[in-house]
Amino acid sequence: MLFPTTHFLLFFLVVAGAVAALEQRFTAKKAVLVIASYYFYAQWDWRFCFLLGFSTALSYLAGRIIGATWDPERRKVVLGIAVGLHLALLGAFKYFDFFVLSANELARSLGLQHELPFIEILLPVGISFFTFHGISYLTDVYRGDVEVCRQPLDMALYMSFFPQLVAGPIVRAAYFLPQLARPSTEPIPIVPALLLILGGLFKKVVIANYLATGLVDPVFAAPTSYGGPDLLLATYAYAVQIYCDFSAYSDMAIALAALLGFRFPANFNQPYRAQRLREFWQRWHISLSTWLRDYLYKPLGGNRGGRLKTYRNLMLTMLLGGLWHGAAWKFIAWGALHGGGLAVERMLEPWLGRRAATPAGRLIATLVVFHFVCLAWIFFRAEDFAVARLFIGGLGSGWGEGLQQAGPFMVALIAIGLAGQFTPDALFDRIAAAFERAPAWGLGAAAGIVVAVINALGPEGVAPFIYFRF
Amino acid sequence: MVALERELSEPAAPAISADAIPLRLRRQGGTPRQVLATMVIGTIVLALFASRDLASWTERLGDTPAVLAAQKIAAEWDQDMAALGLTRPHEALRDGLRRLLDLRWGSQR
């Protein structure tokens, strides 16, 4: 069940109706939201619900045991077992076949005959996200950064809450569980939430979908059939597509949670305006980058062990970040590029710092970071490593042939997507303020008309969000 | 992954990210009932102006008796909306978009 569909609209109407009816009964509201979340998840495959339930029970029970134990060794053992089980589940469903394939290829290259069997199981959608929820909860309980969750219902809602269940943002226990302790007394920010939904719909249904079908998919499917200009524009188009696709999902998730009375953290902040690669990661998929910082980079030692160890930690963090996206060498290459880029940037920081002080320096820095990120996106999007190499090899050729695939509409969508990176923060506030005092019927009617327009502009059907597969 | 490089002099507290909808935008708002009212009115407006998609959505649902009944209702609803002229904006937008998609540079075939 995708957000921009009639099915989801009807589902959300029912949920919003139940929440309105249960305004004064917070526990019942949470129970309804858990049921709704499991229904939502079952729309992909009802068997996945057992996995989600197991992950929830594991986190809840291990959290209770860690919280009830004073012996540091025992706490560490329980944490290790629980995190190990979470990772084993993730590994079995997401990475097992990748490691078998790699081992078999290695065995063949060594002349060995025996091959390991594949298990070929369906990847449960969102497994990476709820696994990270469980791990961060347990680690925070172990560190004493969050109180033990004593209510199974709260843990079930934390792990399964449908707006963030399948593609994030990754919401920390310390951020979300306190919201479940008592009902919010804040008013529901209807106008900002509607603006996020409408903006998200436009980004996904119009920009991301047309760029995917009209330019990115055909060019990445056969890069040798196109010249450099089409390849370059397809690269820019993918940068815009993945941003519009993923940030649209995050925006809608944030808005849906807000309409149900919950706060979510920000997940994107105009990433392509970054002047440093490090800054890019402070603006892109913020909930994952901060998760990896706190649960991987810092435990590895962060920047505390001198330069070489910092570079090593950056590289390891980014390599594992790449692997998190999928079991494929292309994602590892993507992570390695970012890890290497961050290390080099850190090495050059004194030199870069002097040059970034001027407007020209800032412009050049933004362009360099954007193009580096685009280069890495080629590995991320290409079918495999070999296609990525062909794609990059083709960028320098065929410049006399002009454009075959990228028409003016595609170029306009790329321009709109990139222009959106440089709008002032205050613009959203001003638009929200303009509708602040509008009555509910007026807001509903206006939103309905805008959705109808976006729906008419979009192609038939909606492609799944890119991050569902992670 | 690498907001990362702040020194760790402070204890490793979990980073609680900033709210996506900042406090300044959460001071005014509504109740769950107003949310529901907004959603219901938006859905009605959508049913009026996007009846084409309602019909095509029901066609994708399958062929159980209940779905067949829903398909019939959706098709009749779409015809009624077309008779009222409410499907015209949808079709005009689609036509306009098709023309935009067909635009080519001078050098393109």
Side-chain angles (χ1 to χ4, degrees):
Chain A
M1 188 171 16
L2 304 173
F3 287 168
T5 58
T6 310
H7 190 176
F8 184 81
L9 174 64
L10 297 176
F11 163 78
F12 193 74
L13 264 180
V14 173
V15 175
V19 166
L22 299 169
E23 200 176 344
Q24 306 301 326
R25 298 171 62 193
F26 192 49
T27 304
K29 172 183 163 178
K30 288 189 286 186
V32 163
L33 290 176
V34 171
I35 294 165
S37 299
Y38 272 80
Y39 171 80
F40 175 81
Y41 198 45
Q43 297 308 300
W44 274 276
D45 191 323
W46 59 269
R47 291 168 297 181
F48 295 166
C49 293
F50 291 102
L51 194 63
L52 178 59
F54 175 77
S55 223
T56 304
L58 172 66
S59 304
Y60 176 77
L61 292 172
R64 291 295 302 262
I65 295 170
I66 293 170
T69 310
W70 290 105
D71 177 8
E73 277 307 310
R74 195 160 170 231
R75 286 162 62 87
K76 197 182 266 186
V77 168
V78 175
L79 175 73
I81 292 171
V83 170
L85 278 171
H86 271 301
L87 291 175
L89 266 187
L90 185 65
F93 282 96
K94 194 165 176 176
Y95 300 109
F96 186 82
D97 283 352
F98 168 67
F99 287 120
V100 168
L101 179 71
S102 300
N104 286 346
E105 279 174 1
L106 182 67
R108 267 198 299 277
S109 69
L110 295 172
L112 301 173
Q113 297 298 316
H114 185 71
E115 294 210 341
L116 297 169
F118 294 95
I119 52 173
E120 293 179 359
I121 42 176
L122 197 61
L123 175 68
V125 71
I127 187 171
S128 309
F129 289 93
F130 64 72
T131 299
F132 274 29
H133 274 95
I135 292 174
S136 71
Y137 165 70
L138 290 169
T139 312
D140 287 351
V141 168
Y142 173 78
R143 290 173 178 168
D145 292 332
V146 66
E147 279 188 32
V148 176
C149 177
R150 296 183 192 284
Q151 301 296 331
L153 186 63
D154 288 4
M155 179 53 68
L157 186 54
Y158 167 61
M159 294 288 285
S160 70
F161 191 33
F162 69 86
Q164 49 76 27
L165 176 58
V166 293
I170 300 165
V171 185
R172 302 286 185 85
Y175 182 90
F176 192 69
L177 286 177
Q179 297 183 51
L180 303 180
R182 61 196 67 82
S184 169
T185 52
E186 284 181 359
I188 293 173
I190 300 176
V191 173
L194 287 179
L195 287 176
L196 284 173
I197 289 173
L198 298 176
L201 280 175
F202 184 77
K203 284 193 285 187
K204 169 63 181 167
V205 174
V206 179
I207 300 181
N209 279 355
Y210 280 117
L211 284 177
T213 54
L215 183 54
V216 175
D217 293 350
V219 173
F220 271 87
T224 50
S225 307
Y226 297 93
D230 272 312
L231 295 177
L232 185 65
L233 281 172
T235 309
Y236 293 157
Y238 186 63
V240 172
Q241 183 207 337
I242 192 168
Y243 167 73
C244 284
D245 189 288
F246 192 17
S247 70
Y249 188 91
S250 288
D251 288 351
M252 287 189 267
I254 289 160
L256 294 167
L259 291 176
L260 297 172
F262 297 97
R263 286 177 285 111
F264 272 7
N267 211 22
F268 287 90
N269 182 17
Q270 299 178 312
Y272 295 139
R273 70 187 301 171
Q275 294 168 26
R276 289 279 190 281
L277 197 54
R278 182 175 61 180
E279 186 191 350
F280 172 80
W281 282 109
Q282 289 164 345
R283 293 172 174 273
W284 176 274
H285 202 176
I286 299 164
S287 64
L288 176 66
S289 61
T290 51
W291 195 99
L292 290 170
R293 179 192 67 194
D294 293 339
Y295 300 103
L296 191 57
Y297 178 75
K298 284 182 180 178
L300 283 169
N303 52 7
R304 288 173 298 186
R307 273 191 191 185
L308 285 177
K309 280 194 176 161
T310 302
Y311 302 151
R312 180 204 67 183
N313 295 340
L314 282 171
M315 194 54 132
L316 277 174
T317 304
M318 297 308 295
L319 282 173
L320 288 169
L323 196 61
W324 176 86
H325 284 87
W329 287 105
K330 62 175 192 161
F331 291 123
I332 295 174
W334 175 82
L337 268 174
H338 275 281
L342 285 163
V344 169
E345 185 179 87
R346 203 178 165 88
M347 258 182 258
L348 298 177
E349 193 56 51
W351 184 83
L352 289 171
R354 284 198 299 278
R355 272 148 191 84
T358 63
R362 286 196 289 274
L363 177 66
I364 291 167
T366 303
L367 287 172
V368 169
V369 170
F370 175 66
H371 283 86
F372 181 83
V373 169
C374 283
L375 172 71
W377 283 141
I378 294 173
F379 287 92
F380 196 91
R381 172 61 182 81
E383 201 57 39
D384 54 37
F385 215 85
V387 173
R389 280 174 48 202
L390 283 175
F391 195 105
I392 292 167
L395 277 167
S397 61
W399 281 85
E401 296 165 17
L403 293 164
Q404 295 172 56
Q405 188 70 29
F409 184 61
M410 294 298 144
V411 174
L413 289 181
I414 295 170
I416 291 168
L418 291 177
Q421 304 288 309
F422 296 93
T423 54
D425 291 343
L427 184 64
F428 186 87
D429 291 23
R430 261 186 252 144
I431 297 171
F435 291 95
E436 212 166 55
R437 296 186 190 286
W441 66 266
L443 286 176
I449 288 168
V450 176
V451 174
V453 169
I454 293 170
N455 180 55
L457 291 176
E460 280 286 332
V462 179
F465 288 88
I466 294 172
Y467 263 68
F468 277 17
R469 76 181 80 132
F470 305 140
Chain B
M1 315 230 149
V2 206
L4 308 180
E5 299 168 43
R6 286 176 221 126
E7 289 295 338
L8 296 175
S9 51
E10 75 278 16
I16 312 249
S17 309
D19 293 331
I21 299 176
L23 186 62
R24 63 179 184 278
L25 295 176
R26 284 189 278 116
R27 290 207 181 98
Q28 296 236 330
T31 62
R33 280 167 207 269
Q34 284 171 314
V35 170
L36 180 63
T38 307
M39 299 290 306
V40 168
I41 290 161
T43 306
I44 292 168
V45 170
L46 207 51
L48 292 172
F49 289 99
S51 57
R52 284 279 123 96
D53 288 289
L54 197 60
S56 65
W57 173 66
T58 56
E59 280 161 19
R60 291 195 296 270
L61 290 179
D63 55 0
T64 62
V67 170
L68 290 174
Q71 284 171 1
K72 191 163 170 267
I73 293 167
E76 284 170 7
W77 175 261
D78 184 40
Q79 280 168 12
D80 292 346
M81 294 305 105
L84 290 170
L86 295 183
T87 55
R88 264 184 244 145
H90 181 97
E91 280 153 15
L93 280 165
R94 277 217 180 279
D95 284 346
L97 196 90
R98 247 174 254 131
R99 280 197 290 277
L100 280 175
L101 281 166
D102 289 341
L103 281 178
R104 289 287 174 266
W105 305 109
S107 59
Q108 283 179 311
R109 276 176 289 146

